[in-house]
Amino acid sequence: QVQLVESGGGLVQAGGSLILSCSASGRTLSNYFMGWFRRAPGKEREFVARIYWNTGSTGYADSVKGRFTISRDNAKNTVYLQMSSLKPGDTAVYYCAARRDTATAYEAWGQGTQVTVSS
């Protein structure tokens, strides 16, 4: 079972940048997809970005494409979400998640980290 802990959230002004980290423990992440999701107040949770651990292949929601970058550090078993050109609409609780590449749904979730973008 993978355990995930996010960090790096905070308050930032519009146009600013922030880097979120997701530290994984319990097993290595080979053959895992790692994803970032977010839930804004009053809205459903939505997909933000994902990375396939084995190859580093990435995917993004259209709303963050060109502004956010997901990456991984094999040695640290950590996934990052670099966020730039932040907008007030990016305000949300951000969650890290993991799923095996044979699974159809994400199986492990972090506790979330708050990101607030002020105008």
Side-chain angles (χ1 to χ4, degrees):
Q1 183 73 12
V2 178
Q3 290 84 43
L4 304 172
V5 178
E6 304 98 333
S7 61
L11 174 64
V12 63
Q13 289 189 330
S17 300
L18 211 55
I19 299 176
L20 304 183
S21 300
C22 173
S23 178
S25 60
R27 59 154 295 146
T28 62
L29 296 177
S30 296
N31 305 320
Y32 269 75
F33 283 95
M34 299 297 296
W36 284 98
F37 293 77
R38 67 187 181 186
R39 186 194 300 271
K43 295 187 177 181
E44 296 290 318
R45 184 175 62 200
E46 64 174 357
F47 166 77
V48 175
R50 64 114 177 101
I51 187 166
Y52 185 47
W53 197 265
N54 292 12
T55 63
S57 172
T58 60
Y60 298 91
D62 288 343
S63 59
V64 306
K65 211 171 283 185
R67 300 189 299 122
F68 290 12
T69 302
I70 188 171
S71 62
R72 75 200 191 296
D73 185 323
N74 290 344
K76 295 183 178 180
N77 230 32
T78 298
V79 177
Y80 303 96
L81 185 68
Q82 183 171 353
M83 306 183 292
S84 60
S85 301
L86 283 162
K87 307 173 183 179
D90 294 316
T91 295
V93 177
Y94 283 72
Y95 298 91
C96 177
R99 71 170 177 90
R100 290 166 292 164
D101 57 10
T102 55
T104 57
Y106 282 85
E107 304 159 285
W109 293 84
Q111 81 288 352
T113 185
Q114 176 71 47
V115 172
T116 302
V117 184
S118 63
S119 57

